[in-house]
Amino acid sequence: VQSITVVDDTPPVINPVASDLTVECDGSGNTTALNNWLNSHGGASATDNCSGVTWTHNFTSLSDLCGATSAATVTFTATDACGNSSTTTATFTILDNTPPDITCPVDVTLECPADTSALVNGTATATDACDPDPVIGYTNLVTPGACAGAYSIARTWTATDDCGNTSSCIQHITVQDITPPHFVINPVQYYSFCVHNIDTAFWNLLPEPQTDITPERPDWYTLTTADKYNMDMNPVTYFDDNCTPPQ
């Protein structure tokens, strides 16, 4: 009896090996690109002298690096019908190099004095495929205008995602002074006081001579702001706080 035994202890030959794949973040974990890469064994192929080859991989999940950016190193295994196997390794990477989309508030023109705060004049908004909440801030560049109350502000708004990508836009705020001055008429002020024992009292009727009003002097005087400079009473220190003002 002659026994002839055929064994297969030769693993499949992998050629080409799996290739790394890097894609730009799209906010979904790049599910389609990842699945295509896994199903194609990272682009690897394998042949075996005795049977076909079955591919498997050890992928579980992606590890976060920043934002929704991730990388995973995957081992692909080619196994023949006799259990012989060969492996190849490659890395799937999701990068985030895309800045957020930013929208500035509308330009505004204000009359001085003006409240130029962002609370009043608007705040920029931003969206990003891989960062749900980009950080938004601003800086001001102030340029003086033609007069003291006029100036302009170039407000640069910047949005930054978790991976440090930034985008900017500029809001223009103009503060102008087109309101002419206006006169303020102060109300007439009256000064009332009581006097007694007036030796002499004169009313200055400039440029006319003074008029002696001593014979007709009252006990109670009500003077306007202008009058108090025209009344000349002697002595001026005689004040009587006990008299009753006229009703």
Side-chain angles (χ1 to χ4, degrees):
V1 177
Q2 180 184 23
S3 297
I4 300 174
T5 303
V6 179
V7 297
D8 180 5
D9 55 9
T10 302
V13 175
I14 298 176
N15 186 29
V17 297
S19 298
D20 296 339
L21 179 63
T22 299
V23 296
E24 183 69 15
C25 177
D26 65 2
S28 69
N30 291 87
T31 303
T32 300
L34 173 60
N35 287 337
N36 291 340
W37 185 73
L38 293 174
N39 292 334
S40 67
H41 337 119
S45 295
T47 57
D48 188 81
N49 290 332
C50 300
S51 67
V53 173
T54 301
W55 284 97
T56 58
H57 60 74
N58 66 343
F59 173 79
T60 55
S61 64
L62 295 173
S63 59
D64 289 340
L65 297 179
C66 75
T69 306
S70 308
T73 298
V74 180
T75 298
F76 297 96
T77 301
T79 304
D80 64 16
C82 289
N84 303 300
S85 64
S86 298
T87 60
T88 181
T89 301
T91 300
F92 182 88
T93 304
I94 302 176
L95 293 180
D96 182 5
N97 293 316
T98 303
D101 291 324
I102 187 170
T103 301
C104 259
V106 297
D107 296 343
V108 293
T109 299
L110 309 172
E111 179 69 9
C112 77
D115 183 352
T116 60
S117 67
L119 182 64
V120 172
N121 297 284
T123 303
T125 58
T127 58
D128 188 83
C130 301
D131 182 357
D133 190 21
V135 176
I136 298 175
Y138 69 85
T139 57
N140 287 333
L141 177 62
V142 180
T143 302
C147 59
Y151 56 94
S152 62
I153 299 174
R155 178 165 292 167
T156 301
W157 290 92
T158 302
T160 306
D161 66 18
D162 283 344
C163 289
N165 302 303
T166 63
S167 58
S168 300
C169 62
I170 298 178
Q171 177 193 21
H172 296 280
I173 301 174
T174 302
V175 179
Q176 62 184 8
D177 181 5
I178 59 174
T179 302
H182 62 279
F183 291 101
V184 176
I185 301 177
N186 293 321
V188 176
Q189 292 180 313
Y190 290 92
Y191 300 86
S192 298
F193 54 89
C194 230
V195 297
H196 73 143
N197 297 332
I198 297 177
D199 294 337
T200 57
F202 292 93
W203 184 260
N204 293 325
L205 301 176
L206 299 177
E208 301 299 327
Q210 294 179 341
T211 300
D212 186 357
I213 62 172
T214 304
E216 301 175 358
R217 66 183 184 276
D219 287 333
W220 184 266
Y221 289 89
T222 300
L223 307 177
T224 67
T225 304
D227 290 337
K228 71 177 182 176
Y229 298 111
N230 294 329
M231 180 68 77
D232 180 9
M233 292 181 295
N234 181 31
V236 295
T237 56
Y238 291 167
F239 293 94
D240 182 0
D241 295 331
N242 297 319
C243 66
T244 302
Q247 299 301 316

